[in-house]
Structures are given as structure tokens and as C-alpha cells.
């Protein structure tokens, strides 16, 4: 029998996107784009979502491609944190 203390921790979701705003203190806005296939018209289109992510050292700026990871709620809108730059 496994108990909650001995079960392995689930992997947190990670997403890759582009920083679109760095004007807040210790927070960046990351836009995630994904391509979706339309079932009726058989065309691809882009769906975008924006996430607020925690950036403790304020090292990420507009235009950077970053990886964000799901985390505990840090504020009303911030539930992600920046892990690092893509390709760096």
C-alpha cells in the first residue's frame, strides 16, 4: 500500500514561449503559441495564450524564448515560473 508521502511526485507541466512584457517587478508575460487543425475546414490556425511567470532576478526581456514550469500560486494571476532560455 502506498501512502501520499511515498508516492513519486508528478512531473510539472513545462511550456515554451516568447516573453511579450517585462514591465512588472519580478514578473514576465509569456505568450504560448500552438497550431490547431480545424476539423471542418482542414486548415491549421494559431491559438495563443498568455501566462504570467515569476522571474526572480529579472534577467528575461521582451523577445526572449523561455521555458516556463507550473508551480504553486504566487499571486492572483501568477502560477508559473521561468526555468531558463531556450537554446542557452
Amino acid at each position: 500500500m502506498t501512502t501520499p508521502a511515498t508516492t513519486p511526485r508528478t512531473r510539472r507541466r513545462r511550456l515554451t514561449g516568447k516573453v511579450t512584457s517585462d514591465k512588472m517587478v519580478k514578473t514576465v508575460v509569456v505568450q504560448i503559441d500552438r497550431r490547431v487543425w480545424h476539423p471542418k475546414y482542414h486548415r491549421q490556425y494559431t491559438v495563443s495564450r498568455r501566462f504570467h511567470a515569476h522571474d526572480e532576478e529579472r534577467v528575461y526581456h521582451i523577445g526572449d524564448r523561455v521555458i516556463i514550469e507550473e508551480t504553486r500560486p504566487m499571486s492572483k494571476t501568477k502560477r508559473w515560473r521561468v526555468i531558463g532560455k531556450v537554446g542557452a
Side-chain angles (χ1 to χ4, degrees), residues 24-39:
M24 293 175 274
V25 177
K26 296 185 181 182
T27 303
V28 293
V29 179
V30 180
Q31 180 172 329
I32 308 294
D33 294 328
R34 63 187 179 94
R35 303 284 288 168
V36 179
W37 185 258
H38 195 282

Side-chain angles (χ1 to χ4, degrees), residues 8-24:
R9 186 177 194 166
T10 59
R11 285 187 59 103
R12 295 180 176 184
R13 284 198 308 163
R14 286 190 176 187
L15 300 173
T16 303
K18 187 167 81 170
V19 176
T20 58
S21 173
D22 61 352
K23 295 182 180 184
M24 293 175 274

Side-chain angles (χ1 to χ4, degrees), residues 20-60:
T20 58
S21 173
D22 61 352
K23 295 182 180 184
M24 293 175 274
V25 177
K26 296 185 181 182
T27 303
V28 293
V29 179
V30 180
Q31 180 172 329
I32 308 294
D33 294 328
R34 63 187 179 94
R35 303 284 288 168
V36 179
W37 185 258
H38 195 282
K40 180 178 179 182
Y41 297 114
H42 305 292
R43 299 276 189 247
Q44 284 187 342
Y45 60 98
T46 304
V47 177
S48 300
R49 287 205 55 195
R50 292 161 46 109
F51 297 98
H52 291 150
H54 186 66
D55 176 18
E56 184 71 35
E57 287 84 31
R58 301 185 71 176
V59 295
Y60 305 105

